[in-house]
Amino acid sequence: MALKFITADEAAEYVQHNDNVGFSGFTPAGCPKVIPAAIARRAEAFHKEGKPFKIGMFTGASTGDRLDGELARAHAVKFRTPYQSNKDMRTAINNGEVNYFDMHLSMEAQEIRYGFLGPVNVAIIEAADVTEEGEIVPTSGVGITPTICRLADKIIVELNDKHPKEIRGIHDLCEPADPPYRKELPVYSPSDRAGCDVLKVDPAKIVGVVRTSEPNDDSGFAPLDDVTKAIGDNVAKFLVGELKFGRIPAEFLPLQSGVGNVANAVLGALGDNPEIPAFNVYTEVIQDAVIALMKKGRVKFASGCSLSVSRQVIRDIYSNLDFFKDKLLLRPQEYSNSPEIVRRLGVITINTALEADIFGNINSTHVNGVRMMNGIGGSGDFTRNGYISIFTTPSTAKDGKISAFVPLVSHMDHSEHSVKVIITEYGIADLRGKTPRERAEEIIKNCVHPDYRELLTDYLNMGIKGQTPQNLKACFAFHLEMAKSGDMRNVKWEEYK
């Protein structure tokens, strides 16, 4: 069946009001670049005529501004799931314009297959290659691509020549069977393959191919500062200690790290520490630090869902495919984030907290318990099932006016039962085997900024006697003070007695 080449605006005409649209990619990597803007223009034209036009959005995780941003600004989204990080989309979610439901990334494809989230009317896929036989080679991110392509009524391909056809072989594309026929996911080491290197779809469903030549959105990272460097050094110090105690095997264990500057700094610190052996990575997002360590021989193999790297680094990878091709594997998030595989491999998980409380509960998603920041992402998939689950965070924000540690988190994404270690620039709180009071003392002593240690110690001593010495009259005092004066350091406990 011959491929039909069309423009982005012609592709957008296949998308109708109230359609559910699945997009390829995971972070800006692998996301379509030009069709979303065409859909946004189509929505704006409908709105000018007084006609409704909104779509439901399934994505792998966050996307770039050319997807989330364009559609949010065009008021073209009725619902959005799962993870997002775009300012305009976040605003639309928090003002109630866009219905948003947050979910564990490992669950999304399964929830779609089970029919819990509605149909997939259109799948829009960025590809490095597509054939008349229906073979699609994704680009630098996979996400939920296999599931949305199989379930969609129509498939539109963005054929992006910034990604060479020769990357075929870097992907492991598969779907598990649904219950009651599901077997184990056959990944027993990070380099194991469970599927095919190309996605095979019904060619009759490919209604059009749009040629593009668009680079990924640049995912560069800020230079290391003293705080992020100290956090990275503390993570390395902790893991070296675990090696010496014999609690981590001498050959080490695979690492997972979340997204962002702190996560990138942590990986860099681990790779630069000579006491940590060369290691494998089993994660969702492969960032710049992983590629740099791979070139140094410090990372042996990296399995993930996306290459979320800077433009310079993606060019380096594509220019040296002979070196990288047998060291990288990109999978659907149902596999990269699989709790089963994470637990089997003994992955050491490292994620970033938005807020923590002194008893070890973590808020990853909500500012002041109300406003969505980005979403839980894959942190829950890895944290609950990790060999050792670590959370990192700078101890303060906004020039010290906000403490990352509060009496009680304003929203809980990860409970004390899943969180094993918390690390800041000040030190390490090992929470394993400790009571709630012991955890609080450990966190206050080792992780909390000095400006807040006395305040939180006083709170702990105010707690009602019981297993967890919480004080319900005062547990949100830090948040209330921030709303009142703009500085959590101004809390006065006598106001809450």
Side-chain angles (χ1 to χ4, degrees), residues 480-495:
L480 294 171
E481 186 60 45
M482 186 64 198
K484 183 173 72 174
S485 71
D487 194 328
M488 291 181 175
R489 291 170 291 194
N490 294 333
V491 164
K492 294 178 175 56
W493 292 124
E494 55 267 24
E495 297 177 6

Side-chain angles (χ1 to χ4, degrees), residues 249-487:
E251 65 270 29
F252 215 58
L253 291 167
L255 285 178
Q256 173 265 337
S257 182
V259 182
N261 286 323
V262 173
N264 208 50
V266 167
L267 282 171
L270 293 176
D272 290 341
N273 192 306
E275 296 185 85
I276 294 177
F279 54 87
N280 292 318
V281 170
Y282 196 88
T283 191
E284 52 185 8
V285 175
I286 298 170
Q287 300 192 121
D288 283 15
V290 173
I291 303 304
L293 294 174
M294 196 171 277
K295 293 169 71 174
K296 295 177 182 178
R298 298 290 290 135
V299 167
K300 298 182 289 185
F301 191 90
S303 167
C305 189
S306 78
L307 278 170
S308 189
V309 296
S310 61
R311 287 179 180 173
Q312 178 182 346
V313 170
I314 198 76
R315 286 195 296 267
D316 184 20
I317 293 169
Y318 289 165
S319 298
N320 297 279
L321 276 175
D322 288 344
F323 174 80
F324 287 108
K325 207 166 184 180
D326 63 351
K327 299 177 182 67
L328 289 170
L329 202 56
L330 299 181
R331 312 177 189 272
Q333 65 203 59
E334 197 165 11
Y335 283 74
S336 68
N337 293 38
S338 164
E340 172 193 338
I341 297 172
V342 169
R343 188 165 291 194
R344 176 186 298 135
L345 299 183
V347 177
I348 297 169
T349 70
I350 308 169
N351 289 283
T352 304
L354 179 65
E355 176 183 75
D357 67 34
I358 57 174
F359 300 106
N361 302 296
I362 300 290
N363 170 14
S364 295
T365 58
H366 284 70
V367 177
N368 289 328
V370 177
R371 296 186 64 81
M372 172 59 65
M373 178 58 74
N374 298 327
I376 194 169
S379 58
D381 299 323
F382 288 97
T383 294
R384 181 69 181 89
N385 301 283
Y387 183 87
I388 303 173
S389 56
I390 301 170
F391 274 92
T392 62
T393 180
S395 63
T396 61
K398 302 293 184 184
D399 298 320
K401 294 177 182 178
I402 297 176
S403 172
F405 295 90
V406 296
L408 181 64
V409 286
S410 56
H411 175 91
M412 187 189 299
D413 293 294
H414 315 280
S415 81
E416 61 187 82
H417 307 294
S418 301
V419 181
K420 302 296 189 294
V421 181
I422 299 177
I423 296 176
T424 69
E425 72 272 28
Y426 286 99
I428 302 158
D430 186 348
L431 310 181
R432 294 171 293 182
K434 291 182 171 64
T435 67
R437 176 173 281 278
E438 290 171 336
R439 289 197 297 270
E441 291 168 349
E442 182 86 357
I443 289 169
I444 293 169
K445 174 185 174 183
N446 294 311
C447 292
V448 169
H449 190 282
D451 288 352
Y452 290 94
R453 287 177 189 164
E454 184 177 352
L455 274 171
L456 287 169
T457 299
D458 289 344
Y459 174 82
L460 183 61
N461 293 330
M462 290 167 52
I464 307 301
K465 288 184 178 180
Q467 169 68 2
T468 301
Q470 199 71 261
N471 187 315
L472 297 183
K473 290 183 179 180
C475 61
F476 293 121
F478 276 32
H479 303 93
L480 294 171
E481 186 60 45
M482 186 64 198
K484 183 173 72 174
S485 71
D487 194 328

